[in-house]
Amino acid sequence: MWRAVTLCLEKNLTPGGLARSSGSGRDHAPDAPMSATRSRDPVPLDQHAAEQLAYIRHTMERAGTFTAVSGTGQIVVGVIGVLIALAAGPRVSSPAWLATWLAGAIVAVVVAIVGIWLKARRLGVPLGAGPGRKFALGFLPPLLVGAIMTGALYYAGAPQLLPAFWLLAFGAGVLGGGALSVRPVPVMGACFMVLGAVALVVPASWGNWLLLAGFGGVHLVFGFYIAARHGG
């Protein structure tokens, strides 16, 4: 028994024993906080900021409004619409009337696209993602239907329906795409649809002047408003 007590005292009280004990303590106790410190290294500030900006940009692209509709572009389109209506004249059924409006429509579409692209670049708004993509998906299908039905109505011998159909199709596209844009855009689309409904019930000779009121007048009024209140 005394032999066991003596061995225990020598192990714990001699310098070698104390060294071994303190050494074993150093081997194990401090390791945990050191490894924990290494596992909790702070994220660099610039990396954290970049991640936050990417998240904010992604959220805005998914839920934001499309603000790149150009008021200035709409004004130019309105001027083109007035000139086309005056050049085409009231004879809705003539091939010259149809050719004049189709040529003018191509020019107006190019002007509108360039206006949107310039404003989007100035504001830093992406056109191929987020609200820009959704605006295009809402706006383009009715225009495609309008283009297809133009040929169908003309060759079916019903060109007098073209003014009403153009105003309704364009209004539906602006109303659908404008649901993701600033407030005046869907209101403008509704105005076109009202004019289209009127064109269905008035004499066919009014068709050209209703097109002037829509593609000329409505574009000018809302173009000036958007340019003044929504950044150009």
Side-chain angles (χ1 to χ4, degrees), residues 48 93 185:
H48 181 70
S93 60
V185 177

Side-chain angles (χ1 to χ4, degrees), residues 27-225:
D27 287 344
H28 297 283
D31 280 349
M34 288 177 65
S35 61
T37 303
R38 286 194 299 267
S39 64
R40 292 195 298 267
D41 287 339
V43 178
L45 183 60
D46 56 347
Q47 179 183 345
H48 181 70
E51 293 173 353
Q52 292 297 319
L53 287 174
Y55 174 78
I56 293 172
R57 184 180 296 111
H58 177 68
T59 303
M60 291 179 65
E61 287 178 359
R62 289 179 61 88
T65 57
F66 183 66
T67 58
V69 175
S70 173
T72 304
Q74 298 305 305
I75 294 171
V76 177
V77 170
V79 172
I80 294 173
V82 171
L83 295 176
I84 295 171
L86 296 176
R91 294 187 59 190
V92 176
S93 60
S94 68
W97 178 89
L98 179 61
T100 302
W101 272 105
L102 291 180
I106 293 172
V107 175
V109 167
V110 172
V111 169
I113 292 174
V114 171
I116 290 175
W117 178 74
L118 290 175
K119 186 174 180 180
R121 187 177 67 171
R122 176 165 55 85
L123 297 178
V125 176
L127 293 178
R133 180 174 177 271
K134 293 178 181 178
F135 178 87
L137 290 176
F139 178 69
L140 293 178
L143 265 64
L144 180 60
V145 173
I148 295 172
M149 289 302 296
T150 295
L153 288 174
Y154 188 81
Y155 288 107
Q160 70 277 7
L161 295 177
L162 288 176
F165 194 82
W166 287 347
L167 290 165
L168 288 170
F170 186 78
V174 174
L175 189 60
L180 296 168
S181 186
V182 293
R183 184 181 294 270
V185 177
V187 176
M188 181 173 69
C191 291
F192 274 98
M193 296 194 73
V194 170
L195 289 173
V198 171
L200 288 173
V201 297
V202 299
S205 59
W206 292 30
N208 190 69
W209 310 123
L210 288 171
L211 291 175
L212 185 152
F215 292 105
V218 173
H219 270 132
L220 286 171
V221 171
F222 282 91
F224 278 112
Y225 184 86

